[in-house]
Amino acid sequence: MNNSTTHVIVGAGPIGSGTALRLAAAGHSVVIVTRSGSGPDHASIELVAADAADQARLTDIAVGAETIYNCANPPYHRWATDWPPLAASLLGAAETTGARLVTMSNLYMYAADSSPMRATDPLDPPSKKGAIRAQMWRDALGAHEAGRVRVTEARASDYFGPGLGQNGHFGDRVMPKLIAGKAVSVIGRSDVPHSWSYVGDVCDMLVVLGTDDLALGRAWHVPTQPPMFAQELADEVSRIAGHGSATVKTIPSLLLALAGVFSKPIREIGEMLYQFTAPFELDSSETTATFGLEATPLSAQIDATMTAYGEPAPQVTASVA
């Protein structure tokens, strides 16, 4: 990335902000678009308050941009209403301006029993949310194959790392307790293999996809450490925090169902439980072979996450690579 270019990022969560900071550090100009105008404070990052679903407005913002990044994340219960117009706006803005479109996505569009999942696997979503994501990619890829736009997509498993807040499975609800040596509760089973994608590796991947034409025309999996039980990951955090093995309980499905009566976001978790009751494993070997990107060592992931919670980790090496 020797030449400075402009990059437009929709979304200022941990992924959008982290990607913006990496691009700015590399000498690029970045525009972050959110409804509130939020985002990190940096001389090379412009924060714009706008509705990204307004294609005309987004197109005006993206004129002259090299890449548009879709790092948005509507609440679960609004996917059916929010994603179609937002995805169409991003695709239309990319087509009109000539910018490439990089979409941050997940593994929801693969069949429930397809672990280890590869980026070349067929789309066979077992959920309504997976079907929405799959259609977004079909629309983008169709436009790419028609020569109207240049697209690529990054797919990650559930996030681990700093800045996840209340939404991450190892976010505010779990990490402070593990750091303090307290018991935690997780969704699904704690003894099935599950891939956890580090937010820093997700951001690094997006920077590569947004600046390397080799990425165009297909999806790529974010470099991710080998799958771990939720119990194993919790144990590593607890041990590095200076405690013994973690006490990990599972949230009963009935309790989730009852909570869903009063909470639309929790209600939407039900159809995704299959990801936490059977192996849910991501294969990112092709990404490493193609771009040379490798997953951050687990000990460094945990250190950075603990530091973000105001608890510098002791100098203890994680027992899992």
Side-chain angles (χ1 to χ4, degrees):
M1 298 194 305
N2 295 321
N3 299 319
S4 175
T5 54
T6 298
H7 297 255
V8 174
I9 298 176
V10 175
I15 304 304
S17 294
T19 302
L21 289 169
R22 283 162 172 76
L23 287 165
H28 298 283
S29 298
V30 182
V31 178
I32 294 181
V33 180
T34 64
R35 288 179 180 271
S36 63
S38 61
D41 183 11
H42 191 286
S44 296
I45 298 176
E46 179 185 358
L47 306 180
V48 175
D51 181 359
D54 181 341
Q55 184 175 327
R57 176 73 172 118
L58 184 61
T59 298
D60 286 344
I61 295 169
V63 169
E66 174 66 22
T67 304
I68 300 172
Y69 301 79
N70 181 356
C71 296
N73 189 26
Y76 258 180
H77 66 288
R78 294 192 58 86
W79 273 33
T81 55
D82 289 7
W83 262 133
L86 180 56
S89 176
L90 284 152
L91 187 59
E95 180 176 353
T96 301
T97 62
R100 82 182 79 198
L101 174 63
V102 177
T103 298
M104 184 62 239
S105 191
N106 52 37
L107 310 178
Y108 294 8
M109 68 280 295
Y110 300 127
D113 59 352
S114 58
S115 289
M117 293 166 277
R118 299 173 178 84
T120 53
D121 285 352
L123 306 186
D124 186 17
S127 69
K128 291 180 293 183
K129 283 180 278 295
I132 291 169
R133 276 294 191 177
Q135 190 59 51
M136 288 169 58
W137 176 239
R138 290 190 184 103
D139 292 344
L141 186 60
H144 176 94
E145 292 174 342
R148 292 165 30 211
V149 68
R150 299 172 296 153
V151 306
T152 184
E153 180 166 282
R155 295 175 186 163
S157 191
D158 291 284
Y159 295 152
F160 178 80
L164 298 183
Q166 294 289 334
N167 294 325
H169 294 281
F170 275 79
D172 290 356
R173 189 177 57 80
V174 169
M175 283 299 296
K177 292 181 179 179
L178 289 176
I179 293 171
K182 298 179 180 179
V184 298
S185 298
V186 298
I187 294 171
R189 293 173 53 180
S190 62
D191 61 348
V192 294
H194 194 94
S195 291
W196 305 94
S197 297
Y198 181 54
V199 293
D201 295 331
V202 176
C203 297
D204 289 342
M205 180 86 224
L206 288 177
V207 170
V208 169
L209 297 190
T211 56
D212 190 337
D213 287 346
L214 183 62
L216 295 173
R218 56 160 294 176
W220 301 88
H221 282 176
V222 171
T224 300
Q225 285 287 341
M228 301 177 68
F229 298 165
Q231 178 71 60
E232 292 176 317
L233 182 53
D235 285 344
E236 288 299 320
V237 174
S238 180
R239 193 180 65 83
I240 290 180
H243 312 294
S245 298
T247 299
V248 179
K249 304 175 182 179
T250 59
I251 302 173
S253 298
L254 179 58
L255 183 58
L256 275 177
L258 290 173
V261 173
F262 305 99
S263 170
K264 290 181 180 180
I266 293 177
R267 190 182 312 159
E268 293 294 323
I269 293 175
E271 70 169 358
M272 313 312 299
L273 279 177
Y274 74 92
Q275 299 177 359
F276 298 94
T277 57
F280 194 73
E281 306 174 25
L282 172 157
D283 181 347
S284 58
S285 57
E286 188 178 13
T287 297
T288 297
T290 303
F291 300 105
L293 296 173
E294 296 185 356
T296 299
L298 182 61
S299 58
Q301 296 184 26
I302 294 173
D303 286 356
T305 306
M306 289 179 63
T307 299
Y309 279 100
E311 296 288 342
Q315 295 302 306
V316 179
T317 302
S319 59
V320 179

